[in-house]
Amino acid sequence: MTKKMRFLPRHRGQSLVEMGLFMMVLLLLLAGAVDFGIGFFSYVAIRDAAQEGALYGSIVYDKDNPGYTVSDFETMIINRVENSSSGPVDLKSSSVVVGVVPPSAWCAGYPLRVNVSYQYPISMPLIGAITGPTINLKASATSTILIPPCSPAP
């Protein structure tokens, strides 16, 4: 008595197709995670630049040059922010905007705010279609002016 064996139909290439579909989804998720990581690193860079500018602005007063104007101080702070780093964000590029909110009086105890804004380019094509080609990253830091002491009121 011989048994006839039934063979299941062959599904050549099914595993390869399934792996290809799965790999496409996996690579998209991986690329999105990398893009998010680079964006977060860029945010940390502009936040650190804002902190550098605020700290520098709190001590930039030069007693040997009392003729400085508020605009001179703002220019000095903006230059300090732009020169604080060149990577991962080039702070001198046109996609970075640095702003200084001066205190009401440039003497000890008044707050100084430095704002940095950066247009982060999205490299993921699917995410870029939803959010647009760039995402605006903003960071600000506030520091208290340390010198010069405020002159006493008469």
Side-chain angles (χ1 to χ4, degrees):
M1 190 177 266
T2 60
K3 285 188 178 181
K4 291 189 177 182
M5 300 193 85
R6 284 178 44 185
F7 291 101
L8 295 174
R10 292 185 174 206
H11 296 287
R12 289 184 178 231
Q14 175 185 355
S15 299
L16 188 61
V17 170
E18 288 175 356
M19 185 187 76
L21 291 172
F22 176 73
M23 288 299 286
M24 189 167 46
V25 171
L26 187 65
L27 287 175
L28 280 173
L29 288 174
L30 182 63
V34 168
D35 204 16
F36 175 76
I38 294 171
F40 184 71
F41 192 49
S42 298
Y43 170 74
V44 170
I46 65 168
R47 186 200 62 195
D48 289 348
Q51 289 175 342
E52 172 74 19
L55 178 64
Y56 179 72
S58 69
I59 58 173
V60 72
Y61 179 76
D62 185 2
K63 65 182 180 216
D64 297 329
N65 295 310
Y68 282 162
T69 64
V70 171
S71 130
D72 293 333
F73 285 127
E74 289 177 2
T75 303
M76 291 165 60
I77 293 168
I78 289 171
N79 287 337
R80 181 68 174 228
V81 169
E82 289 176 346
N83 293 322
S84 67
S85 175
S86 61
V89 178
D90 182 14
L91 297 169
K92 294 180 181 179
S93 75
S94 61
S95 60
V96 176
V97 177
V98 180
V100 177
V101 180
S104 56
W106 209 284
C107 62
Y110 287 90
L112 167 73
R113 177 177 290 271
V114 176
N115 301 318
V116 180
S117 167
Y118 172 57
Q119 295 294 323
Y120 174 70
I122 299 293
S123 61
M124 285 289 300
L126 297 177
I127 304 227
I130 296 169
T131 64
T134 61
I135 293 178
N136 191 20
L137 301 177
K138 295 180 182 179
S140 65
T142 303
S143 186
T144 303
I145 303 291
L146 299 175
I147 53 176
C150 293
S151 58

